[in-house]
Amino acid sequence: MSAILVIGSTGNIGSFVVKELIKRGARVKAAVTHLDRGKALYSEIPDVELVEFDFLTPSTYKESLKNVKKVFLVRPPQLAHPKQDTLPFLQAAKSAGVEHIVFVSLIGVEKNHVVPHHKIEKYMMNLGFAYTFLRPSFFMQNLNTTHREDIALRNELFVPVGKGKTSFIDTRDIGEAAAICLTESGHVNKTYYLTGSEALTYEDIANIMSKVLKREIKYKNPNVFIFRKVSLKRGMPKEFVNVMSILYTMTKFGTARLVTNDLEDILKRPPITFKQYVIDYKQDFELS
C-alpha cells in the first residue's frame, strides 16, 4: 500500500489533513522539520509514520518520498522564492514516481503573479503532475496564530484592509476537503475556490469576537506602510510581512469577498461559521 506524504503536518492545515486521512484508513507519512514535535503531536495516533523533511535540505527528500504516490503540499510562509526552495522538491517528487499533488494555493492567485503560489501551480502543471488546487480564502486560524498577540494582549485587529470583505474559512474544513480529494475519485486536475458561507468585514469579525470573548476587540485599520513597519518591529520575518502586505492590499480592493459553494460540495455539509470558530478557539484569545 502506497503512502500519502503530508507536507506541513504540524501546521494549521496539515495536522487536520493527517487526522482526516487516518480516519479514512490511508497510510500517512507526516513530514516534520523536528521529529520531537511530530512525536508529541501524534503521540496518540501511532499509525502515522513520521519522516524528517526540509525543503531547503534535499537530502531529506529521498526517504520522505519512498513509496509515495500522493502528496499534500502547503507552502511554508517563510519560503518566498519557489524556484530555489520548492521546485527542487517537485522535481524530486516527479522522479520518485509521485502522481497526484493536492496543493493549498490562494484565492485570486490566477490574477496575481507576484505571490509564490502562482509559480508553484505552474511548476506542478509543467512537470505533468495530476493536481488538485485548493484555493482558499483567508484562514480563520490566522487570527489565533499570526494575529494572536494583537488580539490577546492589545484587544485589537491590526490589518490594513479598510472596509474590504473576506469570506473566512476554517482550516479544519480545508483539512477535511484535502483528505477527501486525496482519497476519493473525481478531484484530479480540478481547481476549487474554498470559502466560508459569508463574506465579513473586519469590523464584523471584531464585533463577533467582542460578543463571544465578552470584551471589546477594536478593528485598527492602518495604512499598509504603517502595517509593514509595525509588523517588522514586532519581529515578523520580512518576506512574510511583504506577502501579507500584498494580500491585505488585494483584500482591501475586494479580491477576498468571493463566496462559493465549492467547499460545501466537497464536504457535503455547510462550512464552519466564524462565530463557531471563535467559540472553539476562545482559550487562544484569552489574556494571560
Side-chain angles (χ1 to χ4, degrees), residues 170-243:
D170 195 301
T171 59
R172 292 172 290 183
D173 281 345
I174 303 174
E176 185 176 344
I180 290 170
C181 291
L182 285 161
T183 57
E184 297 182 9
S185 61
H187 302 289
V188 168
N189 295 342
K190 296 287 184 67
T191 297
Y192 296 114
Y193 295 82
L194 304 184
T195 75
S197 57
E198 60 182 341
L200 303 169
T201 65
Y202 275 80
E203 193 70 49
D204 293 331
I205 70 168
N207 290 335
I208 293 170
M209 296 190 82
S210 296
K211 291 176 183 177
V212 174
L213 301 178
K214 294 182 169 52
R215 68 179 195 270
E216 185 180 11
I217 306 298
K218 294 182 179 180
Y219 168 42
K220 301 289 186 178
N221 180 31
N223 67 48
V224 70
F225 301 106
I226 292 177
F227 169 78
R228 187 176 183 278
K229 181 179 179 180
V230 171
S231 297
L232 290 171
K233 187 176 180 180
R234 290 176 180 172
M236 290 187 182
K238 181 179 178 181
E239 294 287 0
F240 183 44
V241 172
N242 289 344
V243 171

Side-chain angles (χ1 to χ4, degrees), residues 58-266:
S59 61
T60 64
Y61 296 171
K62 184 176 180 180
E63 187 60 31
S64 298
L65 291 166
K66 186 177 180 180
N67 199 30
V68 168
K69 296 297 182 184
K70 297 182 180 182
V71 173
F72 170 79
L73 176 62
V74 63
R75 181 192 70 87
Q78 70 273 19
L79 300 185
H81 304 287
K83 187 174 182 179
Q84 289 78 35
D85 54 48
T86 308
L87 180 58
F89 168 72
L90 292 175
Q91 292 170 329
K94 188 66 178 178
S95 297
V98 170
E99 298 169 357
H100 180 202
I101 299 180
V102 173
F103 173 52
V104 178
S105 187
L106 186 70
I107 202 163
V109 73
E110 70 279 7
K111 299 176 183 178
N112 185 355
H113 297 191
V114 178
V115 293
H117 310 73
H118 179 88
K119 293 179 180 177
I120 294 172
E121 284 192 8
K122 293 297 183 185
Y123 292 148
M124 287 173 55
M125 295 177 73
N126 290 340
L127 286 167
F129 287 107
Y131 64 84
T132 306
F133 294 147
L134 304 180
R135 293 176 175 172
S137 189
F138 278 68
F139 307 155
M140 295 178 188
Q141 278 77 0
N142 284 346
L143 297 174
N144 64 282
T145 53
T146 303
H147 299 292
R148 179 182 179 276
E149 185 175 301
D150 288 338
I151 298 166
L153 300 182
R154 303 182 185 94
N155 293 314
E156 66 181 32
L157 289 167
F158 188 77
V159 286
V161 180
K163 296 181 179 180
K165 290 187 174 183
T166 300
S167 50
F168 290 93
I169 184 171
D170 195 301
T171 59
R172 292 172 290 183
D173 281 345
I174 303 174
E176 185 176 344
I180 290 170
C181 291
L182 285 161
T183 57
E184 297 182 9
S185 61
H187 302 289
V188 168
N189 295 342
K190 296 287 184 67
T191 297
Y192 296 114
Y193 295 82
L194 304 184
T195 75
S197 57
E198 60 182 341
L200 303 169
T201 65
Y202 275 80
E203 193 70 49
D204 293 331
I205 70 168
N207 290 335
I208 293 170
M209 296 190 82
S210 296
K211 291 176 183 177
V212 174
L213 301 178
K214 294 182 169 52
R215 68 179 195 270
E216 185 180 11
I217 306 298
K218 294 182 179 180
Y219 168 42
K220 301 289 186 178
N221 180 31
N223 67 48
V224 70
F225 301 106
I226 292 177
F227 169 78
R228 187 176 183 278
K229 181 179 179 180
V230 171
S231 297
L232 290 171
K233 187 176 180 180
R234 290 176 180 172
M236 290 187 182
K238 181 179 178 181
E239 294 287 0
F240 183 44
V241 172
N242 289 344
V243 171
M244 278 204 306
S245 298
I246 293 169
L247 296 180
Y248 281 134
T249 298
M250 292 170 60
T251 299
K252 184 175 183 177
F253 292 102
T255 60
R257 67 184 302 156
L258 177 70
V259 174
T260 76
N261 293 321
D262 286 5
L263 181 61
E264 187 166 355
D265 289 344
I266 296 172

